[in-house]
Structures are given as structure tokens and as C-alpha cells.
Amino acid sequence: MKLLLIAVLTGATPFATSAVAEDHTPSADEVQVAELSVTGAFIRATLPHAPVAGGYMTIANHGITDDRLLSVTAPIGERTDIHEMTIENDVMTMRALPDGLPVPAGETVSLQPAGNHLMIMGLSAQLVEGQTYDLTLKFENAGNVTVPFDVLALNARKHPGLQETDTQSVEK
């Protein structure tokens, strides 16, 4: 059951639900800190009593210096890990990145379902589509920034406010 829940939260299993809550239109507004921009931040809605949730976003480094996402703090969980997900020989492997996630100069890094993602553990409540929570991202060079994360459908694959061009690499 635990593996099924993790698979659902990381995008390995599709579920049919609406993409956007009727009373809230999510926005993929850009949040800037130093030479970095964060767009398309969202968390997937959870089932009642779920212990974990997945978080996703796109980080673009417009500068000439590499940076690194070191940690994330979420008011809705006991802790948040930055996870890498890989598939080898048809086996999904997920592991925490204790040294953080590199954000190379002039490039864009996407945290997305079935890929690198945030894992919010020890949830304090069910996450309901239409809610928004402020998470604090800590970068090695750029420092701290608070980013609003919209709660989208349980099966959301990307933020509906994110343009296709927003996920392409930044020119060097």
C-alpha cells in the first residue's frame, strides 16, 4: 500500500479527477530570487490521511554562476526532501538528494511527476485542490525565497498556468 501511495504521488499511476478547482484559478506566477526564477509551483492534492505529498516546479538560472537548491520548508509537513527518481530495468527508484539539487548557470531544472520532485512528509492535514501554501526554498547562493505552491488535482502533470516555453532551457 505504501508503494502504491508513493507511485500515485510521483505520477506513476493515473487517476481521473478535474484539473482545476472551480473556486480557484491557479497561477504559475514567476518568483525571483537573485538570478533564479521559479515558475509553475504546485503540490498534488492528497487522499484523506495521506502521509506524504509531491511538489513540483521549474527553476531557471539566468546567471553565470551555478547554484543549488539545498532544502525546502513546508508549513504542512514535518519535513520536505528533494528527491531524484530514476527508472532502470523497469524498476522505479527514488532517493533523497542530501546535498541538494544542482541548478547550473544558464539552464532550467524541472521538478515534475515521474522525475525529480519534492516529497513533503508527515502531512499535518489533507491537501485539497484549490488551496495554496507558501514553501520556503533555500538556495546555496541565491538565499531563501518564499514561493506559493497551488494544490492541483491528484493526477496533475503540470501547472495549467505554465507555458511550454517556460520549461525550455535558458540561453547561455
Side-chain angles (χ1 to χ4, degrees):
M1 182 65 180
K2 190 181 216 181
L3 290 176
L4 175 60
L5 180 59
I6 290 172
V8 167
L9 293 172
T10 58
T13 305
F15 282 90
T17 61
S18 65
V20 180
E22 292 178 353
D23 63 344
H24 173 56
T25 303
S27 170
D29 290 341
E30 181 176 21
V31 175
Q32 298 254 186
V33 58
E35 298 294 325
L36 304 178
S37 62
V38 179
T39 56
F42 75 96
I43 303 168
R44 285 183 166 169
T46 61
L47 299 172
H49 309 292
V52 299
Y56 314 95
M57 66 187 143
T58 299
I59 307 167
N61 185 342
H62 304 283
I64 58 171
T65 304
D66 293 346
D67 210 330
R68 179 178 297 272
L69 177 61
L70 296 174
S71 64
V72 178
T73 305
I76 51 176
E78 293 173 7
R79 80 171 204 263
T80 303
D81 288 348
I82 304 163
H83 277 194
E84 172 183 64
M85 192 165 91
T86 57
I87 298 178
E88 287 186 37
N89 300 322
D90 295 325
V91 176
M92 177 182 73
T93 304
M94 187 169 36
R95 68 178 181 99
L97 297 174
D99 296 327
L101 180 70
V103 185
E107 293 189 25
T108 297
V109 175
S110 292
L111 285 79
Q112 56 195 356
N116 294 341
H117 59 278
L118 303 177
M119 185 63 74
I120 305 166
M121 292 175 267
L123 291 178
S124 55
Q126 179 181 1
L127 304 184
V128 178
E129 185 176 355
Q131 297 172 323
T132 298
Y133 292 98
D134 289 336
L135 276 62
T136 302
L137 311 181
K138 180 179 180 180
F139 291 95
E140 187 172 56
N141 297 318
N144 294 349
V145 63
T146 299
V147 177
F149 278 69
D150 292 317
V151 179
L152 302 181
L154 183 67
N155 67 339
R157 303 294 298 157
K158 69 174 189 170
H159 198 293
L162 189 63
Q163 302 295 319
E164 287 300 320
T165 56
D166 291 340
T167 61
Q168 295 175 358
S169 293
V170 177
E171 296 287 325
K172 285 191 176 186

mmCIF file with all atom_site columns, all heavy atoms in Angstrom, residues 97-126:
data_model
loop_
_atom_site.group_PDB
_atom_site.id
_atom_site.type_symbol
_atom_site.label_atom_id
_atom_site.label_alt_id
_atom_site.label_comp_id
_atom_site.label_asym_id
_atom_site.label_entity_id
_atom_site.label_seq_id
_atom_site.pdbx_PDB_ins_code
_atom_site.Cartn_x
_atom_site.Cartn_y
_atom_site.Cartn_z
_atom_site.occupancy
_atom_site.B_iso_or_equiv
_atom_site.pdbx_formal_charge
_atom_site.auth_seq_id
_atom_site.auth_comp_id
_atom_site.auth_asym_id
_atom_site.auth_atom_id
_atom_site.pdbx_PDB_model_num
ATOM 1   N N   . LEU A 1 97  ? 18.093 13.539 -2.123  1.00 0.00 ? 97  LEU A N   1
ATOM 2   C CA  . LEU A 1 97  ? 19.342 14.176 -2.529  1.00 0.00 ? 97  LEU A CA  1
ATOM 3   C C   . LEU A 1 97  ? 19.833 15.022 -1.345  1.00 0.00 ? 97  LEU A C   1
ATOM 4   O O   . LEU A 1 97  ? 19.511 16.216 -1.253  1.00 0.00 ? 97  LEU A O   1
ATOM 5   C CB  . LEU A 1 97  ? 19.129 15.049 -3.766  1.00 0.00 ? 97  LEU A CB  1
ATOM 6   C CG  . LEU A 1 97  ? 18.676 14.319 -5.030  1.00 0.00 ? 97  LEU A CG  1
ATOM 7   C CD1 . LEU A 1 97  ? 18.344 15.311 -6.145  1.00 0.00 ? 97  LEU A CD1 1
ATOM 8   C CD2 . LEU A 1 97  ? 19.752 13.343 -5.490  1.00 0.00 ? 97  LEU A CD2 1
ATOM 9   N N   . PRO A 1 98  ? 20.603 14.419 -0.433  1.00 0.00 ? 98  PRO A N   1
ATOM 10  C CA  . PRO A 1 98  ? 21.002 15.136 0.783   1.00 0.00 ? 98  PRO A CA  1
ATOM 11  C C   . PRO A 1 98  ? 21.885 16.358 0.505   1.00 0.00 ? 98  PRO A C   1
ATOM 12  O O   . PRO A 1 98  ? 21.938 17.277 1.325   1.00 0.00 ? 98  PRO A O   1
ATOM 13  C CB  . PRO A 1 98  ? 21.751 14.083 1.601   1.00 0.00 ? 98  PRO A CB  1
ATOM 14  C CG  . PRO A 1 98  ? 22.150 13.039 0.621   1.00 0.00 ? 98  PRO A CG  1
ATOM 15  C CD  . PRO A 1 98  ? 21.145 13.068 -0.480  1.00 0.00 ? 98  PRO A CD  1
ATOM 16  N N   . ASP A 1 99  ? 22.556 16.382 -0.631  1.00 0.00 ? 99  ASP A N   1
ATOM 17  C CA  . ASP A 1 99  ? 23.398 17.527 -0.985  1.00 0.00 ? 99  ASP A CA  1
ATOM 18  C C   . ASP A 1 99  ? 22.646 18.543 -1.832  1.00 0.00 ? 99  ASP A C   1
ATOM 19  O O   . ASP A 1 99  ? 23.231 19.510 -2.329  1.00 0.00 ? 99  ASP A O   1
ATOM 20  C CB  . ASP A 1 99  ? 24.657 17.062 -1.724  1.00 0.00 ? 99  ASP A CB  1
ATOM 21  C CG  . ASP A 1 99  ? 25.550 16.202 -0.838  1.00 0.00 ? 99  ASP A CG  1
ATOM 22  O OD1 . ASP A 1 99  ? 25.581 16.447 0.386   1.00 0.00 ? 99  ASP A OD1 1
ATOM 23  O OD2 . ASP A 1 99  ? 26.196 15.275 -1.359  1.00 0.00 ? 99  ASP A OD2 1
ATOM 24  N N   . GLY A 1 100 ? 21.356 18.324 -2.031  1.00 0.00 ? 100 GLY A N   1
ATOM 25  C CA  . GLY A 1 100 ? 20.547 19.258 -2.786  1.00 0.00 ? 100 GLY A CA  1
ATOM 26  C C   . GLY A 1 100 ? 20.534 18.972 -4.273  1.00 0.00 ? 100 GLY A C   1
ATOM 27  O O   . GLY A 1 100 ? 21.127 18.002 -4.749  1.00 0.00 ? 100 GLY A O   1
ATOM 28  N N   . LEU A 1 101 ? 19.850 19.854 -5.000  1.00 0.00 ? 101 LEU A N   1
ATOM 29  C CA  . LEU A 1 101 ? 19.665 19.708 -6.440  1.00 0.00 ? 101 LEU A CA  1
ATOM 30  C C   . LEU A 1 101 ? 20.430 20.799 -7.176  1.00 0.00 ? 101 LEU A C   1
ATOM 31  O O   . LEU A 1 101 ? 20.154 21.985 -6.972  1.00 0.00 ? 101 LEU A O   1
ATOM 32  C CB  . LEU A 1 101 ? 18.169 19.806 -6.768  1.00 0.00 ? 101 LEU A CB  1
ATOM 33  C CG  . LEU A 1 101 ? 17.784 19.675 -8.233  1.00 0.00 ? 101 LEU A CG  1
ATOM 34  C CD1 . LEU A 1 101 ? 18.004 18.240 -8.719  1.00 0.00 ? 101 LEU A CD1 1
ATOM 35  C CD2 . LEU A 1 101 ? 16.327 20.081 -8.421  1.00 0.00 ? 101 LEU A CD2 1
ATOM 36  N N   . PRO A 1 102 ? 21.389 20.431 -8.043  1.00 0.00 ? 102 PRO A N   1
ATOM 37  C CA  . PRO A 1 102 ? 22.131 21.446 -8.798  1.00 0.00 ? 102 PRO A CA  1
ATOM 38  C C   . PRO A 1 102 ? 21.215 22.220 -9.748  1.00 0.00 ? 102 PRO A C   1
ATOM 39  O O   . PRO A 1 102 ? 20.313 21.645 -10.357 1.00 0.00 ? 102 PRO A O   1
ATOM 40  C CB  . PRO A 1 102 ? 23.153 20.634 -9.594  1.00 0.00 ? 102 PRO A CB  1
ATOM 41  C CG  . PRO A 1 102 ? 23.214 19.299 -8.939  1.00 0.00 ? 102 PRO A CG  1
ATOM 42  C CD  . PRO A 1 102 ? 21.869 19.073 -8.317  1.00 0.00 ? 102 PRO A CD  1
ATOM 43  N N   . VAL A 1 103 ? 21.477 23.522 -9.854  1.00 0.00 ? 103 VAL A N   1
ATOM 44  C CA  . VAL A 1 103 ? 20.790 24.388 -10.806 1.00 0.00 ? 103 VAL A CA  1
ATOM 45  C C   . VAL A 1 103 ? 21.897 25.099 -11.587 1.00 0.00 ? 103 VAL A C   1
ATOM 46  O O   . VAL A 1 103 ? 22.338 26.185 -11.205 1.00 0.00 ? 103 VAL A O   1
ATOM 47  C CB  . VAL A 1 103 ? 19.853 25.397 -10.109 1.00 0.00 ? 103 VAL A CB  1
ATOM 48  C CG1 . VAL A 1 103 ? 19.070 26.203 -11.144 1.00 0.00 ? 103 VAL A CG1 1
ATOM 49  C CG2 . VAL A 1 103 ? 18.902 24.700 -9.144  1.00 0.00 ? 103 VAL A CG2 1
ATOM 50  N N   . PRO A 1 104 ? 22.387 24.473 -12.668 1.00 0.00 ? 104 PRO A N   1
ATOM 51  C CA  . PRO A 1 104 ? 23.529 25.014 -13.406 1.00 0.00 ? 104 PRO A CA  1
ATOM 52  C C   . PRO A 1 104 ? 23.239 26.381 -14.037 1.00 0.00 ? 104 PRO A C   1
ATOM 53  O O   . PRO A 1 104 ? 22.103 26.683 -14.418 1.00 0.00 ? 104 PRO A O   1
ATOM 54  C CB  . PRO A 1 104 ? 23.777 23.965 -14.502 1.00 0.00 ? 104 PRO A CB  1
ATOM 55  C CG  . PRO A 1 104 ? 23.108 22.727 -14.010 1.00 0.00 ? 104 PRO A CG  1
ATOM 56  C CD  . PRO A 1 104 ? 21.935 23.192 -13.205 1.00 0.00 ? 104 PRO A CD  1
ATOM 57  N N   . ALA A 1 105 ? 24.271 27.182 -14.140 1.00 0.00 ? 105 ALA A N   1
ATOM 58  C CA  . ALA A 1 105 ? 24.169 28.502 -14.759 1.00 0.00 ? 105 ALA A CA  1
ATOM 59  C C   . ALA A 1 105 ? 23.634 28.375 -16.178 1.00 0.00 ? 105 ALA A C   1
ATOM 60  O O   . ALA A 1 105 ? 24.040 27.477 -16.930 1.00 0.00 ? 105 ALA A O   1
ATOM 61  C CB  . ALA A 1 105 ? 25.526 29.180 -14.776 1.00 0.00 ? 105 ALA A CB  1
ATOM 62  N N   . GLY A 1 106 ? 22.690 29.254 -16.528 1.00 0.00 ? 106 GLY A N   1
ATOM 63  C CA  . GLY A 1 106 ? 22.149 29.288 -17.879 1.00 0.00 ? 106 GLY A CA  1
ATOM 64  C C   . GLY A 1 106 ? 21.222 28.134 -18.224 1.00 0.00 ? 106 GLY A C   1
ATOM 65  O O   . GLY A 1 106 ? 20.886 27.942 -19.384 1.00 0.00 ? 106 GLY A O   1
ATOM 66  N N   . GLU A 1 107 ? 20.805 27.364 -17.240 1.00 0.00 ? 107 GLU A N   1
ATOM 67  C CA  . GLU A 1 107 ? 19.946 26.210 -17.516 1.00 0.00 ? 107 GLU A CA  1
ATOM 68  C C   . GLU A 1 107 ? 18.676 26.244 -16.672 1.00 0.00 ? 107 GLU A C   1
ATOM 69  O O   . GLU A 1 107 ? 18.563 27.018 -15.725 1.00 0.00 ? 107 GLU A O   1
ATOM 70  C CB  . GLU A 1 107 ? 20.696 24.902 -17.261 1.00 0.00 ? 107 GLU A CB  1
ATOM 71  C CG  . GLU A 1 107 ? 21.837 24.691 -18.254 1.00 0.00 ? 107 GLU A CG  1
ATOM 72  C CD  . GLU A 1 107 ? 22.454 23.313 -18.146 1.00 0.00 ? 107 GLU A CD  1
ATOM 73  O OE1 . GLU A 1 107 ? 21.770 22.377 -17.696 1.00 0.00 ? 107 GLU A OE1 1
ATOM 74  O OE2 . GLU A 1 107 ? 23.631 23.187 -18.516 1.00 0.00 ? 107 GLU A OE2 1
ATOM 75  N N   . THR A 1 108 ? 17.737 25.388 -17.045 1.00 0.00 ? 108 THR A N   1
ATOM 76  C CA  . THR A 1 108 ? 16.473 25.251 -16.343 1.00 0.00 ? 108 THR A CA  1
ATOM 77  C C   . THR A 1 108 ? 16.359 23.836 -15.811 1.00 0.00 ? 108 THR A C   1
ATOM 78  O O   . THR A 1 108 ? 16.673 22.876 -16.513 1.00 0.00 ? 108 THR A O   1
ATOM 79  C CB  . THR A 1 108 ? 15.297 25.560 -17.302 1.00 0.00 ? 108 THR A CB  1
ATOM 80  O OG1 . THR A 1 108 ? 15.405 26.921 -17.717 1.00 0.00 ? 108 THR A OG1 1
ATOM 81  C CG2 . THR A 1 108 ? 13.961 25.335 -16.636 1.00 0.00 ? 108 THR A CG2 1
ATOM 82  N N   . VAL A 1 109 ? 15.922 23.721 -14.568 1.00 0.00 ? 109 VAL A N   1
ATOM 83  C CA  . VAL A 1 109 ? 15.729 22.426 -13.925 1.00 0.00 ? 109 VAL A CA  1
ATOM 84  C C   . VAL A 1 109 ? 14.246 22.290 -13.608 1.00 0.00 ? 109 VAL A C   1
ATOM 85  O O   . VAL A 1 109 ? 13.655 23.185 -12.997 1.00 0.00 ? 109 VAL A O   1
ATOM 86  C CB  . VAL A 1 109 ? 16.573 22.328 -12.634 1.00 0.00 ? 109 VAL A CB  1
ATOM 87  C CG1 . VAL A 1 109 ? 16.276 21.039 -11.892 1.00 0.00 ? 109 VAL A CG1 1
ATOM 88  C CG2 . VAL A 1 109 ? 18.051 22.458 -12.945 1.00 0.00 ? 109 VAL A CG2 1
ATOM 89  N N   . SER A 1 110 ? 13.648 21.181 -14.010 1.00 0.00 ? 110 SER A N   1
ATOM 90  C CA  . SER A 1 110 ? 12.232 20.941 -13.748 1.00 0.00 ? 110 SER A CA  1
ATOM 91  C C   . SER A 1 110 ? 12.062 19.820 -12.743 1.00 0.00 ? 110 SER A C   1
ATOM 92  O O   . SER A 1 110 ? 12.653 18.752 -12.890 1.00 0.00 ? 110 SER A O   1
ATOM 93  C CB  . SER A 1 110 ? 11.498 20.572 -15.042 1.00 0.00 ? 110 SER A CB  1
ATOM 94  O OG  . SER A 1 110 ? 11.459 21.679 -15.905 1.00 0.00 ? 110 SER A OG  1
ATOM 95  N N   . LEU A 1 111 ? 11.269 20.088 -11.731 1.00 0.00 ? 111 LEU A N   1
ATOM 96  C CA  . LEU A 1 111 ? 10.830 19.057 -10.803 1.00 0.00 ? 111 LEU A CA  1
ATOM 97  C C   . LEU A 1 111 ? 9.417  18.729 -11.245 1.00 0.00 ? 111 LEU A C   1
ATOM 98  O O   . LEU A 1 111 ? 8.552  19.612 -11.271 1.00 0.00 ? 111 LEU A O   1
ATOM 99  C CB  . LEU A 1 111 ? 10.847 19.572 -9.364  1.00 0.00 ? 111 LEU A CB  1
ATOM 100 C CG  . LEU A 1 111 ? 12.243 19.677 -8.734  1.00 0.00 ? 111 LEU A CG  1
ATOM 101 C CD1 . LEU A 1 111 ? 12.957 20.916 -9.190  1.00 0.00 ? 111 LEU A CD1 1
ATOM 102 C CD2 . LEU A 1 111 ? 12.136 19.643 -7.234  1.00 0.00 ? 111 LEU A CD2 1
ATOM 103 N N   . GLN A 1 112 ? 9.200  17.475 -11.648 1.00 0.00 ? 112 GLN A N   1
ATOM 104 C CA  . GLN A 1 112 ? 7.930  17.111 -12.255 1.00 0.00 ? 112 GLN A CA  1
ATOM 105 C C   . GLN A 1 112 ? 7.558  15.674 -11.908 1.00 0.00 ? 112 GLN A C   1
ATOM 106 O O   . GLN A 1 112 ? 8.427  14.892 -11.511 1.00 0.00 ? 112 GLN A O   1
ATOM 107 C CB  . GLN A 1 112 ? 8.013  17.291 -13.769 1.00 0.00 ? 112 GLN A CB  1
ATOM 108 C CG  . GLN A 1 112 ? 9.137  16.512 -14.416 1.00 0.00 ? 112 GLN A CG  1
ATOM 109 C CD  . GLN A 1 112 ? 9.416  16.978 -15.834 1.00 0.00 ? 112 GLN A CD  1
ATOM 110 O OE1 . GLN A 1 112 ? 8.730  17.824 -16.362 1.00 0.00 ? 112 GLN A OE1 1
ATOM 111 N NE2 . GLN A 1 112 ? 10.420 16.409 -16.456 1.00 0.00 ? 112 GLN A NE2 1
ATOM 112 N N   . PRO A 1 113 ? 6.273  15.343 -12.048 1.00 0.00 ? 113 PRO A N   1
ATOM 113 C CA  . PRO A 1 113 ? 5.860  13.969 -11.774 1.00 0.00 ? 113 PRO A CA  1
ATOM 114 C C   . PRO A 1 113 ? 6.691  12.966 -12.577 1.00 0.00 ? 113 PRO A C   1
ATOM 115 O O   . PRO A 1 113 ? 7.051  13.233 -13.722 1.00 0.00 ? 113 PRO A O   1
ATOM 116 C CB  . PRO A 1 113 ? 4.389  13.953 -12.217 1.00 0.00 ? 113 PRO A CB  1
ATOM 117 C CG  . PRO A 1 113 ? 3.949  15.377 -12.045 1.00 0.00 ? 113 PRO A CG  1
ATOM 118 C CD  . PRO A 1 113 ? 5.158  16.202 -12.430 1.00 0.00 ? 113 PRO A CD  1
ATOM 119 N N   . ALA A 1 114 ? 7.025  11.861 -11.959 1.00 0.00 ? 114 ALA A N   1
ATOM 120 C CA  . ALA A 1 114 ? 7.840  10.795 -12.546 1.00 0.00 ? 114 ALA A CA  1
ATOM 121 C C   . ALA A 1 114 ? 9.274  11.243 -12.795 1.00 0.00 ? 114 ALA A C   1
ATOM 122 O O   . ALA A 1 114 ? 9.997  10.651 -13.576 1.00 0.00 ? 114 ALA A O   1
ATOM 123 C CB  . ALA A 1 114 ? 7.220  10.247 -13.826 1.00 0.00 ? 114 ALA A CB  1
ATOM 124 N N   . GLY A 1 115 ? 9.706  12.294 -12.106 1.00 0.00 ? 115 GLY A N   1
ATOM 125 C CA  . GLY A 1 115 ? 11.082 12.790 -12.205 1.00 0.00 ? 115 GLY A CA  1
ATOM 126 C C   . GLY A 1 115 ? 11.505 13.337 -10.859 1.00 0.00 ? 115 GLY A C   1
ATOM 127 O O   . GLY A 1 115 ? 10.966 12.967 -9.818  1.00 0.00 ? 115 GLY A O   1
ATOM 128 N N   . ASN A 1 116 ? 12.484 14.234 -10.869 1.00 0.00 ? 116 ASN A N   1
ATOM 129 C CA  . ASN A 1 116 ? 12.882 14.900 -9.633  1.00 0.00 ? 116 ASN A CA  1
ATOM 130 C C   . ASN A 1 116 ? 11.665 15.617 -9.053  1.00 0.00 ? 116 ASN A C   1
ATOM 131 O O   . ASN A 1 116 ? 10.852 16.166 -9.801  1.00 0.00 ? 116 ASN A O   1
ATOM 132 C CB  . ASN A 1 116 ? 14.009 15.890 -9.890  1.00 0.00 ? 116 ASN A CB  1
ATOM 133 C CG  . ASN A 1 116 ? 15.291 15.211 -10.313 1.00 0.00 ? 116 ASN A CG  1
ATOM 134 O OD1 . ASN A 1 116 ? 15.472 14.022 -10.103 1.00 0.00 ? 116 ASN A OD1 1
ATOM 135 N ND2 . ASN A 1 116 ? 16.193 15.961 -10.901 1.00 0.00 ? 116 ASN A ND2 1
ATOM 136 N N   . HIS A 1 117 ? 11.543 15.633 -7.730  1.00 0.00 ? 117 HIS A N   1
ATOM 137 C CA  . HIS A 1 117 ? 10.376 16.223 -7.093  1.00 0.00 ? 117 HIS A CA  1
ATOM 138 C C   . HIS A 1 117 ? 10.668 16.516 -5.631  1.00 0.00 ? 117 HIS A C   1
ATOM 139 O O   . HIS A 1 117 ? 11.697 16.094 -5.098  1.00 0.00 ? 117 HIS A O   1
ATOM 140 C CB  . HIS A 1 117 ? 9.171  15.278 -7.207  1.00 0.00 ? 117 HIS A CB  1
ATOM 141 C CG  . HIS A 1 117 ? 9.409  13.948 -6.576  1.00 0.00 ? 117 HIS A CG  1
ATOM 142 N ND1 . HIS A 1 117 ? 10.080 12.932 -7.229  1.00 0.00 ? 117 HIS A ND1 1
ATOM 143 C CD2 . HIS A 1 117 ? 9.097  13.467 -5.349  1.00 0.00 ? 117 HIS A CD2 1
ATOM 144 C CE1 . HIS A 1 117 ? 10.155 11.880 -6.436  1.00 0.00 ? 117 HIS A CE1 1
ATOM 145 N NE2 . HIS A 1 117 ? 9.579  12.180 -5.279  1.00 0.00 ? 117 HIS A NE2 1
ATOM 146 N N   . LEU A 1 118 ? 9.758  17.234 -5.002  1.00 0.00 ? 118 LEU A N   1
ATOM 147 C CA  . LEU A 1 118 ? 9.802  17.430 -3.562  1.00 0.00 ? 118 LEU A CA  1
ATOM 148 C C   . LEU A 1 118 ? 8.906  16.382 -2.932  1.00 0.00 ? 118 LEU A C   1
ATOM 149 O O   . LEU A 1 118 ? 7.842  16.074 -3.458  1.00 0.00 ? 118 LEU A O   1
ATOM 150 C CB  . LEU A 1 118 ? 9.286  18.818 -3.182  1.00 0.00 ? 118 LEU A CB  1
ATOM 151 C CG  . LEU A 1 118 ? 9.987  20.014 -3.809  1.00 0.00 ? 118 LEU A CG  1
ATOM 152 C CD1 . LEU A 1 118 ? 9.314  21.311 -3.382  1.00 0.00 ? 118 LEU A CD1 1
ATOM 153 C CD2 . LEU A 1 118 ? 11.467 20.024 -3.462  1.00 0.00 ? 118 LEU A CD2 1
ATOM 154 N N   . MET A 1 119 ? 9.312  15.840 -1.810  1.00 0.00 ? 119 MET A N   1
ATOM 155 C CA  . MET A 1 119 ? 8.484  14.903 -1.076  1.00 0.00 ? 119 MET A CA  1
ATOM 156 C C   . MET A 1 119 ? 8.236  15.514 0.299   1.00 0.00 ? 119 MET A C   1
ATOM 157 O O   . MET A 1 119 ? 9.158  15.651 1.108   1.00 0.00 ? 119 MET A O   1
ATOM 158 C CB  . MET A 1 119 ? 9.167  13.539 -0.934  1.00 0.00 ? 119 MET A CB  1
ATOM 159 C CG  . MET A 1 119 ? 8.304  12.490 -0.290  1.00 0.00 ? 119 MET A CG  1
ATOM 160 S SD  . MET A 1 119 ? 6.805  12.071 -1.200  1.00 0.00 ? 119 MET A SD  1
ATOM 161 C CE  . MET A 1 119 ? 7.476  11.112 -2.537  1.00 0.00 ? 119 MET A CE  1
ATOM 162 N N   . ILE A 1 120 ? 6.984  15.931 0.513   1.00 0.00 ? 120 ILE A N   1
ATOM 163 C CA  . ILE A 1 120 ? 6.585  16.527 1.782   1.00 0.00 ? 120 ILE A CA  1
ATOM 164 C C   . ILE A 1 120 ? 6.071  15.399 2.661   1.00 0.00 ? 120 ILE A C   1
ATOM 165 O O   . ILE A 1 120 ? 5.097  14.733 2.321   1.00 0.00 ? 120 ILE A O   1
ATOM 166 C CB  . ILE A 1 120 ? 5.501  17.607 1.569   1.00 0.00 ? 120 ILE A CB  1
ATOM 167 C CG1 . ILE A 1 120 ? 6.003  18.647 0.563   1.00 0.00 ? 120 ILE A CG1 1
ATOM 168 C CG2 . ILE A 1 120 ? 5.130  18.259 2.903   1.00 0.00 ? 120 ILE A CG2 1
ATOM 169 C CD1 . ILE A 1 120 ? 4.922  19.553 0.026   1.00 0.00 ? 120 ILE A CD1 1
ATOM 170 N N   . MET A 1 121 ? 6.753  15.167 3.789   1.00 0.00 ? 121 MET A N   1
ATOM 171 C CA  . MET A 1 121 ? 6.444  14.020 4.645   1.00 0.00 ? 121 MET A CA  1
ATOM 172 C C   . MET A 1 121 ? 5.859  14.453 5.981   1.00 0.00 ? 121 MET A C   1
ATOM 173 O O   . MET A 1 121 ? 6.143  15.549 6.457   1.00 0.00 ? 121 MET A O   1
ATOM 174 C CB  . MET A 1 121 ? 7.703  13.194 4.830   1.00 0.00 ? 121 MET A CB  1
ATOM 175 C CG  . MET A 1 121 ? 8.117  12.529 3.518   1.00 0.00 ? 121 MET A CG  1
ATOM 176 S SD  . MET A 1 121 ? 9.656  11.662 3.622   1.00 0.00 ? 121 MET A SD  1
ATOM 177 C CE  . MET A 1 121 ? 10.762 12.947 3.083   1.00 0.00 ? 121 MET A CE  1
ATOM 178 N N   . GLY A 1 122 ? 5.051  13.580 6.543   1.00 0.00 ? 122 GLY A N   1
ATOM 179 C CA  . GLY A 1 122 ? 4.423  13.879 7.822   1.00 0.00 ? 122 GLY A CA  1
ATOM 180 C C   . GLY A 1 122 ? 3.388  14.987 7.693   1.00 0.00 ? 122 GLY A C   1
ATOM 181 O O   . GLY A 1 122 ? 3.380  15.935 8.481   1.00 0.00 ? 122 GLY A O   1
ATOM 182 N N   . LEU A 1 123 ? 2.513  14.852 6.694   1.00 0.00 ? 123 LEU A N   1
ATOM 183 C CA  . LEU A 1 123 ? 1.500  15.885 6.453   1.00 0.00 ? 123 LEU A CA  1
ATOM 184 C C   . LEU A 1 123 ? 0.646  16.121 7.696   1.00 0.00 ? 123 LEU A C   1
ATOM 185 O O   . LEU A 1 123 ? 0.262  15.173 8.381   1.00 0.00 ? 123 LEU A O   1
ATOM 186 C CB  . LEU A 1 123 ? 0.594  15.493 5.286   1.00 0.00 ? 123 LEU A CB  1
ATOM 187 C CG  . LEU A 1 123 ? 1.229  15.490 3.900   1.00 0.00 ? 123 LEU A CG  1
ATOM 188 C CD1 . LEU A 1 123 ? 0.208  15.032 2.865   1.00 0.00 ? 123 LEU A CD1 1
ATOM 189 C CD2 . LEU A 1 123 ? 1.767  16.861 3.537   1.00 0.00 ? 123 LEU A CD2 1
ATOM 190 N N   . SER A 1 124 ? 0.320  17.391 7.935   1.00 0.00 ? 124 SER A N   1
ATOM 191 C CA  . SER A 1 124 ? -0.496 17.751 9.083   1.00 0.00 ? 124 SER A CA  1
ATOM 192 C C   . SER A 1 124 ? -1.989 17.740 8.758   1.00 0.00 ? 124 SER A C   1
ATOM 193 O O   . SER A 1 124 ? -2.822 17.770 9.662   1.00 0.00 ? 124 SER A O   1
ATOM 194 C CB  . SER A 1 124 ? -0.090 19.130 9.604   1.00 0.00 ? 124 SER A CB  1
ATOM 195 O OG  . SER A 1 124 ? -0.161 20.089 8.573   1.00 0.00 ? 124 SER A OG  1
ATOM 196 N N   . ALA A 1 125 ? -2.332 17.710 7.468   1.00 0.00 ? 125 ALA A N   1
ATOM 197 C CA  . ALA A 1 125 ? -3.737 17.705 7.040   1.00 0.00 ? 125 ALA A CA  1
ATOM 198 C C   . ALA A 1 125 ? -3.817 17.246 5.592   1.00 0.00 ? 125 ALA A C   1
ATOM 199 O O   . ALA A 1 125 ? -2.815 17.223 4.872   1.00 0.00 ? 125 ALA A O   1
ATOM 200 C CB  . ALA A 1 125 ? -4.333 19.107 7.176   1.00 0.00 ? 125 ALA A CB  1
ATOM 201 N N   . GLN A 1 126 ? -5.024 16.905 5.167   1.00 0.00 ? 126 GLN A N   1
ATOM 202 C CA  . GLN A 1 126 ? -5.258 16.564 3.764   1.00 0.00 ? 126 GLN A CA  1
ATOM 203 C C   . GLN A 1 126 ? -5.056 17.822 2.920   1.00 0.00 ? 126 GLN A C   1
ATOM 204 O O   . GLN A 1 126 ? -5.475 18.912 3.302   1.00 0.00 ? 126 GLN A O   1
ATOM 205 C CB  . GLN A 1 126 ? -6.673 16.030 3.571   1.00 0.00 ? 126 GLN A CB  1
ATOM 206 C CG  . GLN A 1 126 ? -6.974 15.686 2.125   1.00 0.00 ? 126 GLN A CG  1
ATOM 207 C CD  . GLN A 1 126 ? -8.404 15.176 1.921   1.00 0.00 ? 126 GLN A CD  1
ATOM 208 O OE1 . GLN A 1 126 ? -9.192 15.101 2.851   1.00 0.00 ? 126 GLN A OE1 1
ATOM 209 N NE2 . GLN A 1 126 ? -8.715 14.836 0.693   1.00 0.00 ? 126 GLN A NE2 1
#
